[in-house]
Structures are given as C-alpha cells and as structure tokens.
Amino acid sequence: MTSNLITKPQLNAPTVEKLDNGLTVIVEQMPIEAINLNVWLNVGSTRETDEINGMAHFLEHIVFKGTPSLKMGEFEHLIEERGAVTNAATSQDYTHYYITTAPKDFAELAPLQLDVALNPSIEDEAFEREKLVVLEEIRRSEDNPSKRTFYRSMETCFETLPYRRPVLGPASVIANMRSQQMRDFHASWYQPQSMTVVAVGNLPETQLIDIIAKAASETKADTNIVETNYRQERQQNSRSLAAEPAFKEIVRREYTDENLQQARLVMMWRVPGMMELEATYALDVLSAILGQGKVSRLFRDLREERGLVSQIGVSNMTQTYQGVFYISARLPAANISAVETAVAEHLQTICTAGVSEPEIARIRTQVANRFVFASERPSDRANLYGYYYSQLQSLTPALNYPDRVRTVTAEDLQAAAQKYLDPHAYGVVVMKPA
C-alpha cells in the first residue's frame, strides 16, 4: 500500500492511503469523543440508463436488508444498542453511508458498515417488499410542491445530461425493476476501487487505517473480473456525459399547480461543474452576493424594499459534469414578470459595472467562513473529504477552498458573470397556483 500526507493544508491534515485492493482510505484524528465513518461510492443516478433510473437509490435501501453474515435488522440493532447512529444518501453523482459512534466501539462497528455496503444479500422477497417502500417515497416526493418545482426545473435546464432525471426514478421504472438487475448493478459499481472510506475522530490514524484495512480484506473484494467491467462502464459513461452548451435564448416552461399557495419562479444557467473547478469559485461568490442572507442584493431589493417576493435565494450547484446557477423565488403570480426582469437587471449591472471591493471583501469572508464553520465536527470533515476525493480523487480543493475564495477579485466576478450568466439567455420555470 502507498501513503501520503497532504502537505501544507489550509484547513486540516488528513492522511490518505490506497489499499492494495484499490480502496481509498482517508483518516484524521480529531480530539472529540466520537468517530464518523463515511463510505463514499462514485455511483449515483448519472450512472444509470433510463431503463434502470432509480436503481442507485433503490440499492441504498436494500443494502440494509441483510448480508450473508448479518440477518435483516441486525445491523441497525447492533448500531443502536451502542448508541451509534447510521444513515445514507444518494445523489446524482454519489452514494454514501455513514455511522457515528464512540471511539471504543469503532473497531466493532466499522466492519459492519463495510459488510452491508459490499455484501448485501439482495434477496428476492426483501427486494419486492422494499420496492413498495420506494414507490411510496416517489409518491410523497411528487406530492411535494418544492420537489415538483425542482424536478421541472432540472428537466428544463438539461436536455441530455441525466441531471434532468429525478434521483428516485419514475414509479413505472421502479415497479418493473428486477432483483437480478440490482445484483448486476451492485457487482459493477460497489467495488473497492470505486469507494472512498473516511474516518474522522478520536483514535490514532494508524489504528483507524488498520481497522478499515482489516475489515476491507475480509469482504468479498474479488476485483479482477469486475474491475475490467467497471473501467469499461466508467469510460463509456464518462464519454457520454459531456457538458451542455449555454442557453442561447430564454427557454420558458410554465405549469399550473393546484397545491400551491404562492407562485414559484426559477431561473437557471448552465455553468461549470467539478470538472472545471477553477471556474466555480467566482460563481460561489456571485451566488452569495445576489441571494444568500438578508443583505444580499436580491433579498434587499425584491423582498425588503419592493416587497415583490416572500422568499428568494441563489445557489451555485456544483455537480460533477455540469453545474447550475439557480435562482428561486416564492411570490404572488402577478409579480412574476417584474421579478424576472429585476433579476436580469441585477445580472446586467454586474456584467457592466462589476462589484465594489467592500462588498466583495464581506462576501469573500462570509463564503470562506461558512465553509470553515461547516467543518468543525467529525461528520462535517468526513463528508468534506469523502465528497471531494470521490469526485476528484484529490483533497487539495477541499483543504484550500477558503483561501481560493479569498483570492477572487472584482475582475474575476465580472468575467464570470459575463461568461456564464447572460441576462438574456437562461432557463426559466414558472409554477402558478390553479
């Protein structure tokens, strides 16, 4: 195995190890009486074809339904009787599982987490029972106005990239899914070479690595044949996931939603993602300037001063293959046109006049400090390391993010707005009450 310590870190000093079976292990000792173990897999709904859309999320459910060495429910029982907690999440770009436990229990519980991820039984009966649970989750999500708005927005923003599909998948696909399809999907993607295991907490780093390495060596980890398939699938998948061009005009979709009390307005621009990371820092700062916090431009103007919206926010969603600059507002339907025009005018002002240095300084500090403050707990750091390494195979962007944001200049912001945030070309979704 090889080992290296991240040099001159700006935030923390984790150790990265690559095990012989391809598993990446990241550890950091932290003087808090807890340990968070995060298992990150470089697979989410972007890896799925339309025929199995929703598989990654469905599989996240099934891994907890038993392994050859753990009966159904035994994993949760062993976790809970020690006062530990566990959960999981699936996105378009990744799936991750985690437990938080006392240091004294880590050596016993960490192998269980790896076991459920790598060795799920995926039995037919459990598969069919859990299918009903997933179908109910889909139904609830479709009944949620905020989620419906988001789904419509992603469908409008992307024409070909799988970000246009919901992570949960459509009910019609899930209903017809077969357990053997899931076993094949698991065999292709849930392999050590596509996993990053992170442990942060109060045990020596060498001990954390030894526990994880021993647990990994006792799993199936038969990678020879599967590794070839994995590489071929990943190469083919990556070739097909090219970023889409910027909007050339305003692409508008309008819907009526009988469950809404107020209208929703969403404006979107296709922007760089993790594959063009350097371009994202200025966009992060611009999103804060425009719509994060009570002194942001859109909040002050459209809510506080003109009263046109009840809520407005901006986020720069940095997904792996392509990001989305996302502005969303809740507002009376009569104000939609005025708010859309006002947002475009704010963007035009930044494109032509730029941003003042005092405003930039405040926002740079705000964005960087939020990042630091969100890295204080073991789970925060484990998530940070796992996310960046699983996506980029590097921790440098995670460790250097605050300093990179602090170097963003007025010229950088104006250039980013001019290049990516055209006030005359974007996607827009309007959801009106019936």
Side-chain angles (χ1 to χ4, degrees), residues 237-248:
N237 190 275
S238 296
R239 284 195 296 268
S240 66
L241 296 180
E244 298 184 25
F247 287 103
K248 301 300 183 185

Side-chain angles (χ1 to χ4, degrees), residues 26-300:
I26 303 172
V27 296
E28 181 180 21
Q29 185 168 11
M30 188 176 181
I32 292 178
E33 288 307 300
I35 296 179
N36 181 269
L37 177 77
N38 247 278
V39 178
W40 287 76
L41 291 119
N42 193 24
V43 55
S45 63
T46 57
R47 305 297 189 190
E48 304 161 350
T49 62
D50 289 342
E51 290 72 25
I52 58 168
N53 181 208
M55 177 68 80
H57 169 259
F58 191 176
L59 177 55
E60 175 214 309
H61 281 240
I62 291 294
V63 300
F64 294 104
K65 302 306 174 184
T67 74
S69 58
L70 288 170
K71 298 177 183 178
M72 186 180 298
E74 187 175 1
F75 173 71
E76 290 90 343
H77 174 74
L78 293 171
I79 292 290
E80 291 177 5
E81 75 175 2
R82 287 160 179 78
V85 295
T86 184
N87 213 330
T90 305
S91 82
Q92 269 112 345
D93 294 317
Y94 59 81
T95 305
H96 78 117
Y97 303 86
Y98 60 90
I99 58 172
T100 301
T101 180
K104 65 182 178 61
D105 296 322
F106 183 75
E108 182 177 356
L109 297 184
L112 303 182
Q113 180 69 85
L114 290 177
D115 185 31
V116 299
L118 285 169
N119 300 317
S121 298
I122 315 183
E123 296 177 349
D124 293 349
E125 185 179 348
F127 177 88
E128 294 299 331
R129 283 200 307 268
E130 198 63 24
K131 181 185 288 188
L132 300 177
V133 175
V134 175
L135 288 170
E136 174 62 18
E137 187 175 350
I138 293 171
R139 188 194 64 76
R140 291 199 310 270
S141 74
E142 291 173 347
D143 284 344
N144 184 306
S146 295
K147 290 183 178 179
R148 281 201 302 275
T149 301
F150 181 76
Y151 295 156
R152 297 284 186 270
S153 299
M154 292 301 99
E155 287 174 356
T156 302
C157 189
F158 295 106
E159 295 181 5
T160 59
L161 280 173
Y163 296 120
R164 73 187 312 275
R165 306 179 312 200
V167 172
L168 300 184
S172 59
V173 171
I174 298 298
N176 292 303
M177 207 169 277
R178 303 185 308 277
S179 57
Q180 187 57 49
Q181 289 176 299
M182 181 172 287
R183 287 190 277 274
D184 293 341
F185 187 84
H186 181 271
S188 293
W189 293 104
Y190 275 57
Q191 293 296 324
Q193 65 271 30
S194 63
M195 293 175 64
T196 302
V197 178
V198 188
V200 178
N202 202 10
L203 282 178
E205 292 184 354
T206 54
Q207 189 175 347
L208 291 171
I209 292 171
D210 288 345
I211 291 168
I212 294 169
K214 182 175 184 295
S217 70
E218 294 172 352
T219 66
K220 60 180 182 181
D222 183 12
T223 63
N224 293 332
I225 296 176
V226 174
E227 183 174 2
T228 301
N229 295 336
Y230 165 76
R231 286 177 175 172
Q232 290 174 347
E233 286 190 35
R234 185 169 184 178
Q235 289 170 356
Q236 182 178 358
N237 190 275
S238 296
R239 284 195 296 268
S240 66
L241 296 180
E244 298 184 25
F247 287 103
K248 301 300 183 185
E249 59 185 1
I250 298 174
V251 176
R252 185 180 307 278
R253 302 285 186 270
E254 295 195 8
Y255 304 89
T256 299
D257 193 318
E258 62 183 13
N259 293 319
L260 289 179
Q261 301 300 313
Q262 278 195 315
R264 304 286 196 273
L265 170 68
V266 178
M267 300 169 67
M268 300 155 289
W269 289 259
R270 298 171 187 150
V271 297
M274 296 288 278
M275 300 297 100
E276 301 176 77
L277 195 63
E278 285 300 309
T280 66
Y281 299 110
L283 291 166
D284 285 351
V285 175
L286 283 172
S287 68
I289 287 172
L290 283 166
Q292 294 179 17
K294 294 183 178 180
V295 295
S296 62
R297 290 189 179 192
L298 296 181
F299 186 91
R300 282 201 327 266

Side-chain angles (χ1 to χ4, degrees), residues 342-359:
V343 170
E345 289 173 349
H346 276 278
L347 290 175
Q348 185 65 53
T349 298
I350 293 175
C351 288
T352 55
V355 182
S356 70
E357 185 54 41
E359 186 175 22

Side-chain angles (χ1 to χ4, degrees), residues 342-384:
V343 170
E345 289 173 349
H346 276 278
L347 290 175
Q348 185 65 53
T349 298
I350 293 175
C351 288
T352 55
V355 182
S356 70
E357 185 54 41
E359 186 175 22
I360 296 172
R362 175 179 60 79
I363 294 297
R364 277 193 306 239
T365 300
Q366 174 184 317
V367 172
N369 284 352
R370 282 178 181 171
F371 187 85
V372 173
F373 298 156
S375 303
E376 294 180 338
R377 300 175 300 173
S379 58
D380 296 331
R381 294 193 191 182
N383 279 317
L384 176 70

